[in-house]
Amino acid sequence: MASSASLRRRFADELWREGAITRPEVAEAFATVPREVFVAEGFHGRDGTWVAPGDEGFLDAVYANDVLVTKIQDGRATSSSSQPSLMAAMIEALDLWPGARVLEVGAGTGYNAALMTAAGARVTTVDVQPDVVARAATALAATSSTVDLQLGDGYEGWLAGDPYDRVIVTVGVAGASPRWLDQLVPGGFVLAPIRHAGHHPVLRIARDGAGAVHARGVCPAGFMSAAGPLSALYRGAHPLGTGPLLPPSVRHPARFDPPLDVFRYHDMWFAFGAWDARTTYAQPPDHAADGGCALLDETADGGGATIWPDGAVGGSGPHAEMYAEHASALIDRWLASGSPAVPAWQAAMTLDGDPECPIWVARDWRLAP
Ligand SMILES: C[S@@+](CC[C@H](N)C(=O)[O-])C[C@H]1O[C@@H](n2cnc3c(N)ncnc32)[C@H](O)[C@@H]1O
């Protein structure tokens, strides 16, 4: 059986080869920090079974490029170690340097905080669940990591450690807390997965010299949703999805051969969300597996359209033909715009959400000049 150290090295090399890691210090962090210590009680495997240390395949699963779900409550994942390639992309996007001060919202297992620390940052990390924090504390102590771990609602940031050079959010949120921006140094930024069209793509958020807050797309991503005011509803939000769509009665044929890969599909999906507030995630009845991008009419009893990676469109409900036409027109528009990717988009942000605990939400997405 391969040792943890050799699996770790192979894991870091693979992430490097795939281009998920480009900085030597980030590669070294992945090759050094033992992920298995951060899931010491085990995790939920893809088939739903509990995978525990000592089980056959435990270490191989730990060093696969996959999310490890460590806690499920009421059928919903409420804590995990995120997918390593996504962690790597986010750590790289932070543009860290030795001694940079980082606040992480969503400590989870503590693994990402330990990676950033191993890459040279000084990290404070906050999680809202006491049992999650207790397990992360054990793992951080076992690896002699200097991460400052705190229990609290990440909406508040963590005042005692400010100012920070960067804030990284590793849980899906509806908008950015004003506290995060207040606790940054001038010129710092927040990297956060912000809800958009049924997903949580990663955005880079910063305040300009005049005090206005702007967002820029970074990469597509999927995250579990945060607890509390960070997940508040706001005016003009996309539908939360996936009120049962009726089986499609109208079909427009496939347009992409081969189909778009998962990243390009999400690039297209992001653009639809920028152009049409009905865009969200839905799982129509004729697709048993994963759902996909949809235009959803939450008011019209199962009406809407789904758009698949091969460009095929299915229209459902009383206005099926109209929805299918709108969806096909969005594909035309994306192609005519040069098939922009997530980083091509920028938006102004405004305060919305719970008036007691407002959040910055993106408005008026535009393609950057
Ligand atoms: C995907 S996990 C984070 C993964 C983590 N960074 C790691 O390396 O394992 C998301 C975490 O966010 C936490 N969370 C959810 N809502 C939160 C909130 N309002 N404030 C702080 N943490 C929150 C959850 O308890 C969960 O542990």
Side-chain angles (χ1 to χ4, degrees):
M1 196 175 69
S3 71
S4 165
S6 64
L7 285 170
R8 230 166 24 233
R9 173 59 63 188
R10 198 171 72 197
F11 179 56
D13 289 348
E14 266 166 29
L15 291 169
W16 182 275
R17 261 199 313 278
E18 288 164 9
I21 299 177
T22 64
R23 293 171 170 236
E25 69 276 16
V26 178
E28 210 40 45
F30 273 91
T32 312
V33 181
R35 194 184 191 199
E36 68 274 21
V37 175
F38 293 85
V39 290
E41 292 177 19
F43 52 86
H44 295 269
R46 280 271 162 200
D47 62 359
T49 57
W50 187 252
V51 184
D55 287 355
E56 206 189 323
F58 174 78
L59 273 184
D60 289 325
V62 164
Y63 291 107
N65 186 17
D66 208 354
V67 58
L68 306 176
V69 174
T70 48
K71 185 171 175 186
I72 293 185
Q73 256 180 323
D74 303 326
R76 217 169 43 86
T78 56
S79 198
S80 66
S81 169
S82 308
Q83 187 176 22
S85 54
L86 181 54
M87 280 190 275
M90 290 182 74
I91 294 174
E92 294 243 340
L94 287 176
D95 208 5
L96 295 175
W97 59 92
R101 286 286 296 124
V102 178
L103 171 67
E104 181 189 46
V105 173
T109 62
Y111 178 56
N112 191 54
L115 286 173
M116 292 187 290
T117 305
R122 288 181 294 149
V123 180
T124 296
T125 184
V126 183
D127 203 288
V128 73
Q129 301 192 71
D131 58 326
V132 169
V133 169
R135 279 191 293 274
T138 304
L140 289 167
T143 52
S144 307
S145 179
T146 55
V147 169
D148 171 29
L149 171 68
Q150 301 290 346
L151 172 65
D153 190 323
Y155 178 86
E156 298 299 335
W158 192 258
L159 200 52
D162 87 334
Y164 302 99
D165 298 299
R166 303 284 185 259
V167 175
I168 178 172
V169 183
T170 58
V171 63
V173 294
S177 167
R179 309 281 194 276
W180 305 339
L181 290 149
D182 293 347
Q183 292 171 19
L184 275 176
V185 297
F189 64 83
V190 174
L191 200 65
I194 306 249
R195 196 165 69 214
H196 173 86
H199 275 272
H200 289 104
V202 176
L203 308 183
R204 174 180 161 141
I205 299 141
R207 210 191 283 275
D208 67 19
V213 177
H214 301 274
R216 180 94 198 218
V218 173
C219 62
F223 274 91
M224 60 185 65
S225 292
L230 291 171
S231 285
L233 286 174
Y234 58 90
R235 279 171 296 126
H238 295 87
L240 284 174
T242 165
L245 269 179
L246 290 165
S249 52
V250 173
R251 289 176 196 276
H252 291 187
R255 300 171 63 164
F256 305 123
D257 183 17
L260 301 177
D261 67 28
V262 65
F263 297 105
R264 296 299 285 148
Y265 182 48
H266 280 88
D267 286 338
M268 182 172 77
W269 190 332
F270 190 99
F272 290 6
W275 287 322
D276 193 319
R278 296 168 300 179
T279 311
T280 189
Y281 166 91
Q283 189 165 14
D286 59 336
H287 277 260
D290 282 349
C293 174
L295 300 185
L296 198 62
D297 183 349
E298 286 185 313
T299 60
D301 295 340
T306 39
I307 304 100
W308 298 106
D310 62 4
V313 166
S316 311
H319 306 291
E321 186 59 58
M322 178 195 78
Y323 269 101
E325 299 271 324
H326 286 182
S328 290
L330 284 171
I331 301 178
D332 294 340
R333 186 171 175 186
W334 185 64
L335 293 171
S337 305
S339 316
V342 172
W345 292 93
Q346 61 184 25
M349 301 187 96
T350 58
L351 280 174
D352 208 310
D354 177 349
E356 301 286 311
C357 303
I359 48 176
W360 289 101
V361 301
R363 302 260 179 234
D364 195 19
W365 280 103
R366 287 166 194 274
L367 287 166

